[in-house]
Amino acid sequence: MQKYFLILIFAGLPFCILRAQGTVERKYAGVGRFEVEAAVGPTLGYSPLARFYRMPTGFCAALEGRYNFRQRPFDVGLRFGASGHNRWSHRSCSGDFQLVASCLVVADYNIHLLSGLTFYAGLGLGGAFVAESAEETETGVRSGDRGVFCAMPRVGFECWRHLRFTVAYCLMERESSHLELTVGIVFGGGRR
């Protein structure tokens, strides 16, 4: 289901971009240069591995600083995030907690839809540290703590310049990939 959701989002994105960017300079002239976002929400883990059940809902939190370009609807930033969830092995009757901490360089393209409503789509690239207490993996051997590459496509809406709703999928190794749904409060950023 998550794969179909991502395909649907990125299939509709080109149509939104073509519709929205007729008068970019006028719409984004008042945007502030810097903003900081604090976000929290649920993590929907997914494990298509043969030895694990689906992972139940966990938590995620993120702190992100962004630089907004004044004459373009584009911003870049640095995101620090943490998420955690349990997963159950077919051989165990208790859940094993897995914590993922990430540091990503992010970039978003903003599409001004209405006054006070902006759609954005972006990508984050960086590294993640996976700390797990699982006693077994798909191969049957404990893999332990490790660093992995992380890519994070994301889409969302920003309402009233200070409230952001984001859907992001953290692509890592199959055991650790997960979907994040966050609600964030933005400090700074000026008027849009």
Side-chain angles (χ1 to χ4, degrees), residues 15-64:
F15 300 107
C16 292
I17 291 172
L18 291 174
R19 178 208 171 275
Q21 297 309 312
T23 57
V24 169
E25 286 78 11
R26 183 172 52 85
K27 290 181 181 177
Y28 284 87
V31 173
R33 294 248 184 216
F34 296 99
E35 62 186 10
V36 175
E37 177 188 357
V40 295
T43 295
L44 307 174
Y46 175 72
S47 180
L49 305 174
R51 296 182 186 211
F52 289 105
Y53 294 112
R54 286 181 176 261
M55 298 177 231
T57 302
F59 72 92
C60 64
L63 184 64
E64 181 175 326

Side-chain angles (χ1 to χ4, degrees), residues 91-179:
R91 297 181 186 170
S92 175
C93 59
S94 64
D96 298 315
F97 185 73
Q98 183 177 34
L99 178 68
V100 177
S102 61
C103 178
L104 305 171
V105 174
V106 293
D108 293 321
Y109 188 78
N110 302 290
I111 302 170
H112 185 81
L113 298 176
L114 300 169
S115 178
L117 180 64
T118 302
F119 172 80
Y120 61 92
L123 179 67
L125 297 173
F129 176 76
V130 179
E132 62 181 326
S133 60
E135 295 181 2
E136 65 177 297
T137 62
E138 184 181 18
T139 60
V141 179
R142 181 184 168 92
S143 57
D145 301 342
R146 63 204 172 279
V148 295
F149 174 76
C150 180
M152 185 187 70
R154 65 184 186 171
V155 296
F157 290 94
E158 182 173 324
C159 304
W160 308 294
R161 299 183 308 269
H162 296 292
L163 186 63
R164 283 174 64 110
F165 299 94
T166 306
V167 177
Y169 192 75
C170 294
L171 294 165
M172 297 180 273
E173 58 192 5
R174 290 193 313 164
E175 295 178 10
S176 304
S177 294
H178 59 275
L179 182 71

